[in-house]
Amino acid sequence: MPIITVQFIKDVVANDEQKRELMVKLTDTFISVVGEVARPYVYCIIQETPQMEWSIGGKPMPDLAFLIGPEYRGMHDKANAIMGAFVEQTKAQAAAGGADPDKDHLAEKMWLGTKE
């Protein structure tokens, strides 16, 4: 039996009417791919987490001031700098090995399942 699970924050993301619509549309989308034979077996579950029982970057949510403030922006900037350095290092290694430095060799390896 297929189970479609959606998780979001209670009283922040969707009201009751939207949740009902979401369950219908998610089921219909699933059926459009696998066929009507599966409709009676498709379960759609919405799991809601109470406010202040989830966090982003260790900060209990929802804290809208945090989400638009300098601390959160700084977290993004730091993560982007780390990822940017990694991408540049990967390009340099590819170029040193004679490969095309503009091709995403790491992603290609992951998609193809190779470990080289």
Side-chain angles (χ1 to χ4, degrees), residues 40-71:
Y41 310 106
V42 176
Y43 287 43
C44 188
I45 301 168
I46 292 178
Q47 297 175 335
E48 293 182 290
T49 299
Q51 293 182 34
M52 304 308 285
E53 291 187 14
W54 65 286
S55 70
I56 296 177
K59 189 80 165 179
M61 289 289 132
D63 183 338
L64 301 179
F66 169 76
L67 291 175
I68 62 169
E71 183 181 358

Side-chain angles (χ1 to χ4, degrees), residues 1 3 6 17 24 28 35-36 55 62 65 72 78-79 87 89-90 113:
M1 115 188 83
I3 300 172
V6 179
E17 184 179 322
V24 169
D28 289 346
E36 280 295 327
S55 70
Y72 191 54
K78 183 176 181 180
V87 168
Q89 178 186 9
T90 302

